[in-house]
Amino acid sequence: MRRTRLLPPVPRLQRSRRGPLIIGTALAALPLALGGISAPAAWAADAIALDDGVSAPVYDYADAIRERVYIPVAGVDQDLDGEDDVTRIEIIRPAESDDGLEVPAIIDPSPYYTTLGRGNEGEFISDTDADGLNDSWPLFYDNYFVPRGYAVILAQMDGTAGSTGCPMHGGPGDIQSMKVVIDWLQGRVEGRNAAGDPVAATWHNGKAAMIGKSYDGTLANGVAATGVEGLTTIVPISAISNWYGYSRTGGVAHNTNYPSGLANTVTNLERRSLCAPTRTLLNGIDGDESGDVNPFWAERDYRTSIDDLHASVFLVHGLNDDNVRMSQVGDYWNALAERDIPRKIWLAKVGHVDPFDFRRAEWVDTLHRWFDHWLLDIDNGIMDEPQATVETAPEQYEDVASWPVPGTEPVDVYLGATAPGAAGALRLQAAAEPASLSFTGPAGSITEGNAINTPTGSQAQRLVFLSEPLTADLRVSGTARVELAASLGVTQANLSALLVDYGPSTPTPRTGEGVQNTATTTCWGAESDADDACYLEVARRTSTVDTWRVSRGALDTSNRESLIEGEGTPLVAGQPYAFSWPLEPYDTTFAAGHRIGVVVTTNLSGYNLAGTASATVTVDAAASRVVLPVVGGLGAAAAAGGLGAPAPVSLSFDVADRGVPIEPQSVAFGTAPVVPADPVSTDGWWLFDGWYADAALTTPFDFAAPLVADATAYAKWKPADATAPGKATLSNTSGWAYGLHDGTYEVVANLWWGVPGRELRLYENGVLVSTQALTPTGTSQEARVAFTGKPNGTYVYTAELVNSRGATAASSTTVKVTDAAPAKPVVSHDNWDRDGVFTVTANLWWGTNATSYRFLLDGVEVGSGELTAATPAAQAATVALTGVAPGAHTLVAVFANANGETASAPVKVEVR
């Protein structure tokens, strides 16, 4: 892209409509040749004139081309006349764009051009010379940007101004009527002039923006959500992202028949009777009967299609906007962040106000650079600047990296009971015991003033919970949430809550949107005979208050689980429930010395339609809380004081029976615990692998986070070994020593090479008979298991080497025991004289020893005793016999041990 850097722009002039012209900072309608700036004679398609890094005003506004184009909206017939509706657009673009200069388009889509008007001064489009082209161009966009090489398009929503059809409350047809403008610029649909001749946007560079306040910005949101190719950026100002959330809050309707009423307002007088059937249709499908989300509202929630959004977004909103409330920003902005959509945000402490009317010079400069970057590809660094600008005090702004302000964390602030009938307390630590508080809501509605004023007064129709005076400033940034444990005496009620700042302050009031016109005008761009660029300057209103409503929200109790039509359920009177609902997003600082207040009531004015009258609500304060988005989190909340003096909490350590126990820590409330020394495994099988906040070991324990309740840190362990053990080889020593398989042997496991085991498990004939702990060192291991006294039989041994990574089977070994019983003894005697008095001797010359013996004479035991086994040494036993009767007798010796007995061969003895 070729860039042409020219001389500085012409000076801007400031003048009063009621006074003399004043030299100042606004661009006056002077000839463009003034100051040395002039346009080249021939224009390349990519020519950009720059001055100090921004596009320069080198194109003649007075000679700009003005066009009117009609674009059919295929498939959309909202006036029910059987023909497709047609969108009318007004175009103003540099004359040079007819000679090859390609320019981007800034589109203001609006339903207001001929009814409510545009801008603070209610400007309308008009054809002052009756030539069929627009001459009066609302707002400053045309005056400022056309001389800088942009086209400006005023797109008239379906059924408004010069477009046919009927408006349908930002529904798909309304959005399609604006989307076709992008399609026409991209050449995807045809447009025609008043004579019916085709008109193409041959001058367009392929990039377009949509910008506008309120309904206009809402249409920009809706078109962007279609994902239409060619919409490069949007600038929604005080805009709606979800129409349900504009007319409803938590199932509570703010009004009835609002869609048809708004449609009637933005319809030209001459078309209102034509559109009456459409308005009747709106009344039949708007779901006023339930106040819930039905298909009508679901298709008007642009957030549901945000995955299709590809345009960058510059969002501007008033923190004090009670018309299009901040809830239109919160979820939408978060969704943009989750999808990493290029974005920027301005948040000001005004109401439903355009930034041109609360920070004019800075706004024009920032918007200029935003459009230059996204539509002209000028690398001006705007996307490297802080993403968010937040007004922190009247006309004091802070640039921050994002919003909510970085470092913001949700902090639970618990409701607490005090004396009966008195205002309750706000504490960082929940009460140990339940505390029941009751009130009975109004028969009709309660005004915001009556709800929040005199907080220590009567609690009959509300409950007020107050902090003590803060000792340090405390900033909240984002969305607060009320979580109420309560039972009701009725089956339905409209619960409401307000977050209040009690203390003297001088905020920009919500009255009159917080601004008022002055008598001075400033001029921002070039002019023509029919259109000037001068606008009234706007000043802030001021106020001094002791009570300031920070935020509020409501919930139809039938919608406690779902806002979807048909899914709401009534309460059971007297039964406790958990109710949760958000308050409007906000950003404010509770100053030191102020008190934070939370007010709970029913049928708050504006949230009272269809709410049960005189509903009694009983709140369990100890189980109820408000979750505040505190900048600095719990530490900042505790440091601010005023929220109680919480007792210390305990952090326990669960080492899962694998480590040496660690004593619990006593931790000061709201401070971070100390990271303990790593626990040591009791058996060496495990290595410590971090602390976790849950027994399932899915969430690491955050030792940097302040502790607000007793907690447990769970130790995670990992195996100490790299892999499972190597394969061991089994052998046995049976018969090694004496050649006897006598049931005394060792089974030997050898790991010759590999990852060692930590345990040997030995199985005999499939039954675990030994578990032996091993030392896992080196790459080889040996383990022995001794066996004694095994009876004769066959024994198959298998084994596993086990470590922290698993078990590996070893080879097997088989032992056959055949010599478990004693060897065979030999019997002799000395009865040579046959007199019946003799000694019998039994000798086991070698083999398995016995532990006992007995002698049998003719089968009758005549002697016995114990033997000391010393296999395979010889053993002997004797018995002296006397008085043996004459005759032939048989002698037998029996040697026995635990595994059996062995008898000698019989020996004959003769007694005479």
Side-chain angles (χ1 to χ4, degrees), residues 537-613:
E537 283 287 339
V538 177
R540 290 298 181 94
R541 297 177 185 269
T542 60
S543 67
T544 300
V545 300
D546 292 316
T547 300
W548 178 254
R549 182 253 294 169
V550 173
S551 187
R552 62 187 178 184
L555 175 70
D556 178 345
T557 58
S558 300
N559 297 106
R560 62 194 177 276
E561 295 179 352
S562 174
L563 294 175
I564 304 301
E565 189 173 63
E567 295 183 5
T569 55
L571 304 173
V572 175
Q575 179 174 315
Y577 292 91
F579 302 101
S580 176
W581 68 96
L583 306 185
E584 297 291 337
Y586 205 72
D587 196 295
T588 192
T589 297
F590 294 90
H594 287 209
R595 303 177 80 176
I596 302 171
V598 174
V599 181
V600 178
T601 188
T602 63
N603 286 354
L604 180 65
S605 181
Y607 302 92
N608 58 295
L609 283 183
T612 303

Side-chain angles (χ1 to χ4, degrees), residues 409-638:
E409 296 176 2
V411 174
D412 294 338
V413 178
Y414 293 90
L415 311 185
T418 55
L426 292 176
R427 303 186 179 105
L428 288 175
Q429 198 168 47
E433 301 296 331
S436 180
L437 300 172
S438 297
F439 71 95
T440 299
S445 63
I446 183 171
T447 67
E448 182 172 289
N450 287 339
I452 68 176
N453 291 335
T454 320
T456 58
S458 172
Q459 307 290 301
Q461 293 188 332
R462 61 175 184 173
L463 292 177
V464 181
F465 300 89
L466 295 169
S467 73
E468 295 300 318
L470 303 181
T471 58
D473 292 353
L474 183 66
R475 184 174 181 179
V476 295
S477 179
T479 303
R481 173 172 290 274
V482 171
E483 298 181 357
L484 204 67
S487 60
L488 281 74
V490 293
T491 59
Q492 185 279 334
N494 291 350
L495 295 172
S496 298
L498 304 101
L499 180 64
V500 187
D501 184 348
Y502 290 104
S505 62
T506 55
T508 298
R510 290 184 169 93
T511 305
E513 310 297 349
V515 297
Q516 55 191 348
N517 291 336
T518 69
T520 301
T521 62
T522 55
C523 305
W524 296 83
E527 301 180 347
S528 68
D529 292 340
D531 188 276
D532 70 21
C534 304
Y535 296 90
L536 291 171
E537 283 287 339
V538 177
R540 290 298 181 94
R541 297 177 185 269
T542 60
S543 67
T544 300
V545 300
D546 292 316
T547 300
W548 178 254
R549 182 253 294 169
V550 173
S551 187
R552 62 187 178 184
L555 175 70
D556 178 345
T557 58
S558 300
N559 297 106
R560 62 194 177 276
E561 295 179 352
S562 174
L563 294 175
I564 304 301
E565 189 173 63
E567 295 183 5
T569 55
L571 304 173
V572 175
Q575 179 174 315
Y577 292 91
F579 302 101
S580 176
W581 68 96
L583 306 185
E584 297 291 337
Y586 205 72
D587 196 295
T588 192
T589 297
F590 294 90
H594 287 209
R595 303 177 80 176
I596 302 171
V598 174
V599 181
V600 178
T601 188
T602 63
N603 286 354
L604 180 65
S605 181
Y607 302 92
N608 58 295
L609 283 183
T612 303
S614 305
T616 297
V617 181
T618 300
V619 176
D620 179 359
S624 300
R625 61 187 174 180
V626 58
V627 184
L628 296 180
V630 176
V631 179
L634 184 61

Side-chain angles (χ1 to χ4, degrees), residues 770-825:
S770 176
T771 299
Q772 186 177 129
L774 305 176
T775 301
T777 57
T779 57
S780 62
Q781 283 180 307
E782 180 179 282
R784 293 173 174 268
V785 180
F787 294 89
T788 59
K790 301 294 288 184
N792 290 344
T794 300
Y795 302 93
V796 178
Y797 291 95
T798 57
E800 294 175 318
L801 269 184
V802 185
N803 67 15
S804 57
R805 291 290 182 179
T808 302
S811 64
S812 64
T813 188
T814 301
V815 176
K816 293 184 178 180
V817 178
T818 57
D819 304 313
K824 189 172 184 177

